[in-house]
Amino acid sequence: GAVVSQHPSRVICKSGTSVKIECRSLDFQATTMFWYRQFPKKSLMLMATSNEGSKATYEQGVEKDKFLINHASLTLSTLTVTSAHPEDSSFYICSASPAGSSGNTIYFGEGSWLTVV
Amino acid sequence: AQSVSQHNHHVILSEAASLELGCNYSYGGTVNLFWYVQYPGQHLQLLLKYFSGDPLVKGIKGFEAEFIKSKFSFNLRKPSVQWSDTAEYFCAVNPNTGTASKLTFGTGTRLQVTL
């Protein structure tokens, strides 16, 4: 079946540095991908909608300059957490739907654990 | 904008007991509805989804859910739970627009099944 892959699955970075998380659709093209954040024992909160070839759409309260999203191709979206701080430590998850499919076909990545020390 | 409510935050059941987890949504148009499960330390897995047709949807692992449009509900059920069903369960909704649209998740229900 269709697969969405995230890399890295776990990353530890120092406070003040930046870290990039990749989300790839392995066997389909996705014009739109979504980035979510999940705190321990909490639900998933949508951060932004990543649009291929255009700017991402951020949800209210999400700093676009801190969470940089790039969707340079139909199979890859990246989330860069800039100047990371310990409060950015979280589980980041992406999802994608095949281009041309209806909104009920959604594939999630395995998620990326970010720990900022 | 859509919203999702899961009223049961933590449910404890004995093995073989029946399960029903509530999910209500708010949205003015037609929707796609989903139930996901997240086992401890693992990523999301789709249990089932509804987008059209028969409002009673059967999913994996013996789960089913019924979409009741008049009640804006999509409750998850399982006749007999197993210890391995211990996990976090999330209901989610997105607008049925025919294209990719963002999912809104409920706060989740933690199910604990005891032996």
Side-chain angles (χ1 to χ4, degrees), chain A residues 7-8 11 18-22 68 77-81 112:
Chain A
H7 178 80
V11 58
S18 296
V19 62
K20 180 186 288 187
I21 300 170
E22 295 184 344
L68 299 179
S77 175
T78 61
L79 168 68
T80 301
V81 182
S112 300

Side-chain angles (χ1 to χ4, degrees), chain A residues 41-54:
Chain A
K41 301 187 186 298
K42 298 292 185 183
S43 187
L44 284 78
M45 300 296 293
L46 179 68
M47 298 176 65
T49 302
S50 173
N51 303 298
E52 188 269 334
S54 65

Side-chain angles (χ1 to χ4, degrees), chain B residues 11 13 17-21 63 76-81 89 111:
Chain B
V11 173
L13 293 173
S18 63
L19 169 73
E20 180 160 1
L21 301 182
F63 287 91
L76 181 71
R77 300 193 292 249
K78 186 171 184 178
S80 175
V81 295
Y89 291 80
L111 172 64

Side-chain angles (χ1 to χ4, degrees), chain B residues 27-38:
Chain B
Y27 184 69
T30 55
V31 294
N32 301 309
L33 294 154
F34 307 80
W35 274 99
Y36 289 91
V37 61
Q38 188 174 36

